[in-house]
Amino acid sequence: MSSPSENPPPKLLEGNLRSTLMLPLAIFLVGGLVYFGVTKMISTERSYKDLVRELNSKTFGNRWIAAYELSKVLGSKSVPDKDMPWLIANLEELYGTSQDSCSRDFLVVAVGSLKKPESVPLLLKALNDSDKNVVFHALVALGNLPGTVEFSKEVLLPFLAAKDHAHQQAAILALA
């Protein structure tokens, strides 16, 4: 029997050429994959049309993420007037079929960022939502509409007596 001191285990980078190159090659490959993935995530620019299509294809668990991304894109870019009817019709349909409040909330934020008269019907519908955040964002969106956009301000009056102070303040600002 040989003693442990006679045959020490080989060191990681000692041995034949193949085993010597495996560790640096693995580090290089993993680093390359991480770099490619991060670069792809940062550089991928999706348009509002891509995000609406993605919203239509997502299950309800992942839909709110696409709705969030859409609200960011619409908030930072202008949508051509010719695409506005298509966009608002799709967002209204998505709002009506969304089962989770996060998706509805981000859809209301997205529609509100458009600041267009065509968005008023959806925003008025959102005032009756069961989720208080959706209602709040609908109130804020109605308050941010340009003064030229007309709707019945009487729908905001019940929120002046609301127990939720955020709803009260948003209604006051919307009425002002």
Side-chain angles (χ1 to χ4, degrees):
M1 223 184 213
S2 63
S3 69
S5 60
E6 289 177 20
N7 291 327
K11 294 187 179 180
L12 184 61
L13 297 177
E14 289 181 357
N16 63 20
L17 182 63
R18 188 172 129 207
S19 64
T20 303
L21 293 177
M22 291 302 275
L23 182 62
L25 183 63
I27 292 171
F28 176 77
L29 288 174
V30 169
L33 287 172
V34 168
Y35 174 77
F36 175 75
V38 169
T39 306
K40 181 79 173 153
M41 285 187 323
I42 292 173
S43 68
T44 300
E45 178 101 8
R46 295 186 289 181
S47 73
Y48 61 91
K49 289 183 177 183
D50 295 333
L51 289 167
V52 169
R53 287 185 195 102
E54 190 175 322
L55 273 164
N56 282 314
S57 68
K58 292 281 187 183
T59 60
F60 109 149
N62 295 328
R63 188 178 270 183
W64 74 269
I65 297 169
Y68 171 68
E69 290 296 321
L70 179 65
S71 69
K72 290 190 324 188
V73 167
L74 293 180
S76 65
K77 296 179 183 174
S78 66
V79 176
D81 286 337
K82 67 179 177 68
D83 290 343
M84 201 59 67
W86 173 85
L87 178 61
I88 291 178
N90 275 282
L91 295 179
E92 284 178 354
E93 181 182 336
L94 287 163
Y95 178 85
T97 60
S98 290
Q99 297 174 2
D100 64 307
S101 61
C102 284
S103 295
R104 291 192 312 274
D105 190 27
F106 286 124
L107 288 168
V108 167
V109 170
V111 168
S113 70
L114 297 173
K115 298 181 182 176
K116 296 289 184 182
E118 298 91 344
S119 63
V120 170
L122 176 57
L123 296 174
L124 293 176
K125 182 189 289 187
L127 291 177
N128 297 317
D129 199 279
S130 60
D131 186 83
K132 67 179 184 170
N133 292 325
V134 175
V135 174
F136 174 76
H137 286 119
L139 288 166
V140 169
L142 287 168
N144 286 333
L145 288 172
T148 58
V149 177
E150 293 190 21
F151 64 95
S152 174
K153 306 277 196 271
E154 292 178 11
V155 298
L156 302 175
L157 295 177
F159 293 100
L160 296 176
K163 292 181 181 178
D164 189 326
H165 295 296
H167 287 177
Q168 280 181 345
Q169 292 175 358
I172 291 168
L173 290 173
L175 286 167

